[in-house]
Amino acid sequence: PGPDLLSMQAIAAPPADQRARAAVRYDEVAKTLVQALKYQDRTDLAPTMGRWMARAGHQLLDEADLLVPVPLHWRRAWSRRYNQSGALAQVIARQTGVTVSRDALRRVRATQQQSGLSRS
C-alpha cells in the first residue's frame, strides 16, 4: 500500500503503544507552560521541559537510534519563528546522546491547528 493508505490505516486503527511516557501531568500549569513555549516565544522553557522529557523517557531513549522532531509546515514555522519540538529534541539529545534528525520528515500540507478542536 502507498503512504496515503498507510496513513489512513494508522489514523483509523492507531497502534497500541505500551511504551508511551509523560513528563508531567497535563494540568493547567503544564498547559500554560506548553502554550508559552509554542505561542509566546518562551524558548527559555525548552531546556527545563526537555530535561523533564529526557528523564521521563530515559528507558525508551536508552534504546533509541534517532530523535525526529515533528516538523511544522513552512507557513506555521514562519509565524512561530521556531519549531518547539526541534528545540525540545536538541535538549533531549544533549541529555541522552541520541542524535537528532531534523530532515527525516517533511510536512507538505498546511493542516488545521489542533488548538480549540473538539475531541472528535
Side-chain angles (χ1 to χ4, degrees), residues 20 22 25 31 35 45-46 53 59 79 91 93 97 109 116-117 119:
R25 183 172 51 108
K31 180 179 179 178
Q35 289 180 344
L45 296 171
M53 293 172 75
Q59 291 172 323
S79 69
V91 175
R109 284 186 312 159
L117 295 179
R119 183 176 293 247

Side-chain angles (χ1 to χ4, degrees), residues 30-45 49 82 84:
K31 180 179 179 178
T32 299
L33 291 171
V34 169
Q35 289 180 344
L37 175 68
K38 288 177 75 167
Y39 306 118
Q40 298 166 12
D41 290 333
R42 290 291 310 274
T43 56
D44 59 301
L45 296 171
M49 294 170 79
Y82 73 102
Q84 73 281 351

Side-chain angles (χ1 to χ4, degrees), residues 6 9-10 47 61 80 88 119:
L6 291 175
Q9 289 172 341
L61 293 161
R80 287 195 191 159
L88 293 167
R119 183 176 293 247

Side-chain angles (χ1 to χ4, degrees), residues 14-80:
D17 192 344
Q18 302 296 319
R19 297 170 43 118
R21 301 290 183 272
V24 297
R25 183 172 51 108
Y26 193 71
D27 58 12
E28 284 304 312
V29 173
K31 180 179 179 178
T32 299
L33 291 171
V34 169
Q35 289 180 344
L37 175 68
K38 288 177 75 167
Y39 306 118
Q40 298 166 12
D41 290 333
R42 290 291 310 274
T43 56
D44 59 301
L45 296 171
T48 300
M49 294 170 79
R51 285 191 302 270
W52 293 343
M53 293 172 75
R55 185 171 41 236
H58 73 91
Q59 291 172 323
L60 304 177
L61 293 161
D62 287 347
E63 301 171 15
D65 295 319
L66 199 60
L67 289 169
V68 181
V70 176
L72 296 173
H73 186 267
W74 70 266
R75 283 189 219 121
R76 190 161 299 148
W78 185 79
S79 69
R80 287 195 191 159

